[in-house]
Amino acid sequence: MLNSLKEVTDLNVNPDRFFSASHEEIKSGLTTDIYFVNTKDVLRSVNRLDTPVTAEIFTRTTGMFAGLDEIRALFKDVPVSIEALPEGEYFSPKEVVMRIRGSYGAFGIYETTLLGILSSSCAWATAARECVEAAQGKPVLVFGARHLHPAIAPVMEAVSVKFGGCTAASCILGAKLCGREPSGTVPHAAILIMGDTLKLAEAYDASLPPEIGRTFLVDTFHDECEEALTLARSMGRRLGAVRLDTPSERGGVTVELVKELRYRLNHEGFDYVKIVVSGGLNPERIRTLSEAGADIFGVGSYIAHAVPMDMTMDLKEVDGQPVAKRGRLPGVLENKRLIAIK
């Protein structure tokens, strides 16, 4: 852990690297704001660094609580006690979502990192749950890794599955972090290289194990209904689903397209073939496309681009005495929903 401003001044960082912080750098305090390091020097100079304090964390919005797995990892070797809301529960504006007790010198430097973890994790979990609720029991797959820096994409997908309720994640590490196998088949690139959707599907079917689902894009070369029926006629029961990801240049995935595809598949006896839709989905579009006949939803940007929630940490007790900055209430605020996590 960083202990002084001099350590920061003496620190040399090789720019020939990924810019994302390693786990060791996060634990050492290198992702904190510099004024927390300055504070350590100042408080140490007057023998107040180890003052016992109580800190509370809240936000001004409603959302779903998530991020405790990483908070536990951050504070694993830090001598503090922590209470928090159970993950997956909704919080209300200004409700205390976490309380930390310990010496300020033990955990004050982690304020930036702690708030950042909660800010993003709660936002992603909330956005994912909105999509899951809109789907009303139909599977929602999180496809958002390409919309974020790779250092945090696995966090977003893992949180979306574990607490947002998504059925599966496409990012390999994200899926593995929540105890799942990643979900996905092949991109448009594979079909373009093969030059034909059916040829790609046949090669896929012949080369990959049967436990991997047979779901194929049907919007690459021809009319979506035409490509879907071609696959269904050739593959029969081996075809599990077809995926619509029609670009906006061609009108996108519309209610009318989903209805027509569902009708044509059913008309030829392929009612067992599911329809997966993706491309700019949000809760409203999920609801309307579900009513039209879509069975599975692949969501990327809506979850990945969820606006981080402004988390605030306030000291509420110093040396056992109630304190607060102006505008806040001194002393701990009761919240019977908090449970001990450390």
Side-chain angles (χ1 to χ4, degrees):
M1 181 195 295
L2 285 174
N3 283 307
S4 68
L5 182 59
K6 185 178 185 304
E7 290 183 11
V8 177
T9 304
D10 293 342
L11 178 68
N12 290 310
V13 177
N14 184 354
D16 186 20
R17 50 168 283 176
F18 288 112
F19 280 13
S20 53
S22 69
H23 296 172
E24 292 74 21
E25 288 169 331
I26 294 171
K27 290 277 288 185
S28 71
L30 286 181
T31 59
T32 197
D33 293 307
I34 187 63
Y35 69 174
F36 290 115
V37 181
N38 298 342
T39 299
K40 294 190 75 169
D41 281 350
V42 173
L43 292 179
R44 186 184 295 112
S45 73
V46 293
N47 297 317
R48 294 289 286 166
L49 181 58
D50 294 325
T51 300
V53 300
T54 300
E56 292 185 337
I57 297 170
F58 71 92
T59 185
R60 291 177 171 80
T61 60
T62 298
M64 172 170 288
F65 191 63
L68 283 186
D69 288 340
E70 291 193 296
I71 298 301
R72 288 189 183 95
L74 179 66
F75 286 103
K76 180 180 179 182
D77 301 314
V78 180
V80 295
S81 63
I82 303 176
E83 299 170 278
L85 285 179
E87 287 187 291
E89 288 198 9
Y90 280 100
F91 51 80
S92 58
K94 294 194 175 182
E95 180 179 6
V96 176
V97 298
M98 182 176 290
R99 183 179 295 127
I100 306 173
R101 288 188 168 94
S103 75
Y104 186 77
F107 74 92
I109 197 171
Y110 291 124
E111 179 174 338
T112 305
T113 306
L114 165 67
L115 297 181
I117 289 172
L118 294 179
S119 175
S120 291
S121 297
C122 293
W124 290 326
T126 303
R129 182 57 63 91
E130 289 172 356
C131 294
V132 168
E133 290 177 350
Q136 296 183 319
K138 295 181 179 180
V140 175
L141 316 177
V142 54
F143 290 171
R146 66 185 59 199
H147 298 288
L148 293 172
H149 191 285
I152 60 172
V155 188
M156 177 273 299
E157 296 218 352
V159 164
S160 296
V161 172
K162 290 187 71 173
F163 308 110
C166 290
T167 305
S170 63
C171 173
I172 296 170
L173 182 55
K176 293 289 187 177
L177 283 170
C178 54
R180 306 288 183 89
E181 289 301 313
S183 177
T185 52
V186 291
H188 288 97
I191 301 172
L192 290 168
I193 290 169
M194 289 294 291
D196 182 83
T197 301
L198 180 57
K199 287 181 180 179
L200 180 281
E202 290 173 340
Y204 184 104
D205 192 38
S207 61
L208 293 181
E211 60 267 21
I212 297 180
R214 269 54 176 163
T215 299
F216 301 104
L217 288 155
V218 291
D219 53 18
T220 307
F221 291 114
H222 306 290
D223 173 79
E224 292 88 347
C225 294
E226 177 185 341
E227 288 205 355
L229 290 171
T230 297
L231 292 177
R233 291 164 185 158
S234 176
M235 299 183 68
R237 289 277 176 178
R238 299 196 310 283
L239 180 64
V242 293
R243 178 178 158 203
L244 297 173
D245 192 52
T246 307
S248 59
E249 292 86 348
R250 300 293 293 177
V253 179
T254 65
V255 167
E256 292 74 17
L257 175 58
V258 173
K259 285 182 176 179
E260 180 183 356
L261 178 56
R262 181 73 275 160
Y263 179 89
R264 291 184 181 278
L265 286 170
N266 291 356
H267 184 69
E268 293 202 23
F270 304 123
D271 56 327
Y272 54 86
V273 176
K274 303 292 186 183
I275 298 176
V276 182
V277 292
S278 58
L281 297 187
N282 56 37
E284 181 179 353
R285 293 198 69 215
I286 289 172
R287 278 188 286 269
T288 57
L289 293 175
S290 177
E291 292 171 359
D295 302 291
I296 303 170
F297 308 90
V299 184
S301 59
Y302 185 81
I303 298 174
H305 294 171
V307 178
M309 298 179 177
D310 289 340
M311 293 284 173
T312 298
M313 187 174 94
D314 281 345
L315 292 190
K316 303 305 294 291
E317 290 180 337
V318 172
D319 277 327
Q321 299 301 309
V323 298
K325 64 185 290 186
R326 291 182 63 196
R328 308 278 167 76
L329 299 176
V332 297
L333 301 179
E334 184 179 15
N335 187 351
K336 293 182 180 180
R337 298 207 294 151
L338 299 184
I339 60 173
I341 68 164
K342 184 180 187 300

